[in-house]
Amino acid sequence: MSGTVSKKEATNSSVSAQVLERAKKSLAGGDSSTMRVLPYHIPLVADRAEGCRLWDVDGNEYVDLNMSYGPLLLGHRPKVVIDSVYRQISEQGSQLGFPTEVTMRVAEKIKKLFPSIELLRFANSGTEACASAVRLARTFTGRKKLIMFEGHYHGWSEAVFTKYHAPLEELPECGYGPAIPGTSGMGDSIKDVITVQWNDLDALERALAEHGDDVCAVMMEPISGNAGLLMPRDGYLATVREMAHDCGALLIFDEVITGMRVSAGGAQEHYLVSPDITVMSKAMGGGYPVSAFGASAEMMQCIVKGPLFHGGVFSGNAIVMSAAEAVLDTVLADKAGIYGHLHTVSDQLANGIKDIYARLSIPAQVNHLGPLLAAMITKEEVEGLYNYRDVRRHADFERYIKFQHWMQQRGVYFHPNEFEPMFLSTAHKPGDIDEVLERWEEGARQCLVR
């Protein structure tokens, strides 16, 4: 059987459901990422997208508040990226197998936005770049242990894949403890990881007092983006940096989510705190698979001169570099205009949701910074959500799923997992947000009012 499933082949379910059933005969679970086919998803097989809109194989249209989990800073199919990639493929080649000038140019432009980076290397995913950043920290310091934070996700490599959404009863009462492996089949390297409660300086101080002499780095998402978008408390990032340095450890910022999104220079620009090692991905690629990790020239000599190896046939390949250059050129040409617009539409959406929830007396926490937003429904009114344990304890996951299903069926898509933030793009306009808010209020009245 060739081609896609036609509408005539759909019987008692959607075409999306029919396609997914067919896919399960070739793809484990129906797709190559578990996050896209979780049991509580309404089946949605995408057909095409443009700007801030997406259409599925049933012909349904959605305002997309997911933006492919964050990479699409300029929206779906931005002409500037398409043109750049087309020129590269048609005039120069997609994969040349040698150093290219476009790779050099992209690195130079990243350094303009991230002054903490003196030298960098490209990779293909956030997982790859995070794994390399940890190896760099261990090689440079000669230490093995790594401190990470509950609810933070740094990819699924052996060294860092923890059970980042662990049940509360599995977490230590003292606020820190050995990492819980994130999957079966892992080796022993995760035993060198200590996880600490986010936004808790006392817990971090105790962990460093016990393990500090052996810690190579403290690694974090500077904004906790995999646990409902949790902002660092005032002064938290700078204090963590100081505490890490006091014991001879490095500070690693995983800016896979926040890089070029909360501001052009990421969270480190917004909070004015420079890490020792930066990891970035998602927004820089415009939808193409690319990541980078970078640090001081001294630190990166571990790769230049050895003993640290870094490679990859597709690392820094010409296609993704041409896409990244188009995104970077767009941002560098009009930072104020681009981020001004992103903040405007994000403020409109966040404030609109807050107003709806307040008028309808729906307990919730709406957090946002630039085009990153989380509208978490809670079981009761809470003062704030500051760490993963707070979210796990207070968020109403079942009601959120019910609400997401209602919204998806009315043409607004965001992920049904309350831990996952929403992403806006330059393609979202005030009129799109008005449309979302109109449906949001109707959905809130139908699903959330008690």
Side-chain angles (χ1 to χ4, degrees):
M1 184 175 181
S2 62
T4 60
V5 175
S6 70
K7 291 189 178 182
K8 291 182 180 179
E9 293 174 281
T11 54
N12 296 322
S13 59
S14 68
V15 180
S16 285
Q18 291 285 316
V19 172
L20 283 173
E21 283 304 307
R22 174 184 163 191
K24 289 175 183 177
K25 297 175 182 178
S26 303
L27 293 163
D31 193 68
S32 291
S33 174
T34 299
M35 286 300 294
R36 295 193 286 258
V37 286
L38 291 166
Y40 48 83
H41 279 172
I42 296 177
L44 192 164
V45 175
D47 177 55
R48 62 188 175 90
E50 183 173 3
C52 70
R53 304 275 170 158
L54 182 142
W55 289 263
D56 65 19
V57 292
D58 290 276
N60 299 313
E61 178 180 340
Y62 305 89
V63 179
D64 186 1
L65 302 181
N66 190 52
M67 289 285 109
S68 194
Y69 297 87
L72 304 177
L73 185 71
L74 305 181
H76 291 281
R77 295 167 53 202
K79 187 176 185 300
V80 64
V81 174
I82 293 172
D83 290 347
S84 182
V85 171
Y86 178 78
R87 283 194 303 272
Q88 181 64 45
I89 293 173
S90 61
E91 298 175 11
Q92 294 175 282
S94 61
Q95 174 71 344
L96 302 174
F98 293 93
T100 58
E101 285 189 80
V102 65
T103 307
M104 173 196 70
R105 293 196 303 269
V106 172
E108 291 173 343
K109 290 165 184 177
I110 288 173
K111 288 174 57 179
K112 290 181 180 179
L113 297 180
F114 292 81
S116 66
I117 297 175
E118 293 180 341
L119 291 175
L120 60 93
R121 278 285 180 101
F122 290 108
N124 301 294
S125 68
T127 290
E128 286 185 26
C130 284
S132 294
V134 172
R135 286 181 176 176
L136 177 60
R138 285 175 171 158
T139 300
F140 187 74
T141 63
R143 300 174 174 185
K144 291 185 65 177
K145 288 191 179 294
L146 178 69
I147 287 182
M148 298 181 358
F149 295 91
E150 296 168 1
H152 291 209
Y153 175 69
H154 304 294
W156 44 266
S157 70
E158 290 286 296
V160 296
F161 188 33
T162 67
K163 195 172 184 179
Y164 61 107
H165 290 162
L168 288 174
E169 61 269 19
E170 295 184 18
L171 301 176
E173 291 185 10
C174 67
Y176 74 95
I180 304 169
T183 181
S184 62
M186 291 181 66
D188 292 337
S189 60
I190 198 70
K191 291 181 179 179
D192 289 319
V193 175
I194 302 105
T195 53
V196 179
Q197 182 165 266
W198 171 249
N199 265 329
D200 185 343
L201 290 173
D202 290 338
L204 178 60
E205 184 177 29
R206 293 193 299 271
L208 288 172
E210 182 176 348
H211 300 285
D213 291 343
D214 299 318
V215 172
C216 69
V218 176
M219 185 175 191
M220 67 165 70
E221 300 175 62
I223 297 172
S224 184
N226 285 280
L229 199 64
L230 308 176
M231 307 299 170
R233 292 180 183 270
D234 290 345
Y236 180 75
L237 300 182
T239 304
V240 171
R241 174 185 165 90
E242 182 180 350
M243 292 169 69
H245 286 181
D246 284 347
C247 70
L250 305 173
L251 177 63
I252 303 174
F253 274 4
D254 175 351
E255 296 232 42
V256 167
I257 290 177
T258 53
M260 291 182 67
R261 184 159 280 281
V262 298
S263 66
Q268 57 194 266
E269 176 186 346
H270 179 79
Y271 291 109
L272 301 177
V273 176
S274 295
D276 299 296
I277 303 174
T278 297
V279 175
M280 57 189 300
S281 182
K282 292 201 175 183
M284 67 182 281
Y288 286 76
V290 62
S291 64
F293 66 100
S296 68
E298 177 190 10
M299 203 174 301
M300 295 297 281
Q301 294 306 306
C302 294
I303 295 174
V304 175
K305 297 180 179 179
L308 178 60
F309 173 80
H310 173 260
V313 169
F314 292 102
S315 295
N317 72 81
I319 292 178
V320 300
M321 290 294 99
S322 63
E325 184 167 41
V327 175
L328 284 157
D329 284 346
T330 301
V331 168
L332 287 165
D334 186 20
K335 283 194 289 185
I338 286 173
Y339 290 93
H341 171 79
L342 290 170
H343 280 265
T344 295
V345 292
S346 179
D347 289 347
Q348 179 187 356
L349 180 57
N351 292 335
I353 294 171
K354 288 177 184 177
D355 177 65
I356 291 168
Y357 287 165
R359 285 189 287 103
L360 300 180
S361 299
I362 297 167
Q365 291 284 310
V366 181
N367 297 336
H368 84 291
L369 180 58
L372 265 177
L373 185 145
M376 292 176 283
I377 300 161
T378 55
K379 299 169 186 174
E380 66 285 309
E381 292 290 349
V382 293
E383 179 185 352
L385 302 174
Y386 301 105
N387 55 56
Y388 165 75
R389 299 188 193 200
D390 288 344
V391 177
R392 174 63 89 175
R393 188 176 295 114
H394 297 292
D396 196 331
F397 293 94
E398 294 302 319
R399 290 174 73 220
Y400 191 87
I401 291 170
K402 178 183 177 183
F403 175 65
Q404 188 277 337
H405 287 183
W406 195 97
M407 292 292 286
Q408 180 174 329
Q409 291 167 334
R410 273 76 177 176
V412 176
Y413 184 82
F414 50 90
H415 199 278
N417 187 334
E418 196 158 16
F419 284 131
E420 293 290 323
M422 301 174 203
F423 299 89
L424 298 181
S425 72
T426 58
H428 289 87
K429 307 303 181 188
D432 301 309
I433 305 304
D434 287 338
E435 183 179 335
V436 169
L437 289 172
E438 181 179 347
R439 297 177 195 177
W440 203 288
E441 177 154 5
E442 185 181 356
R445 291 182 182 277
Q446 292 290 328
C447 303
L448 302 178
V449 174
R450 288 173 170 163

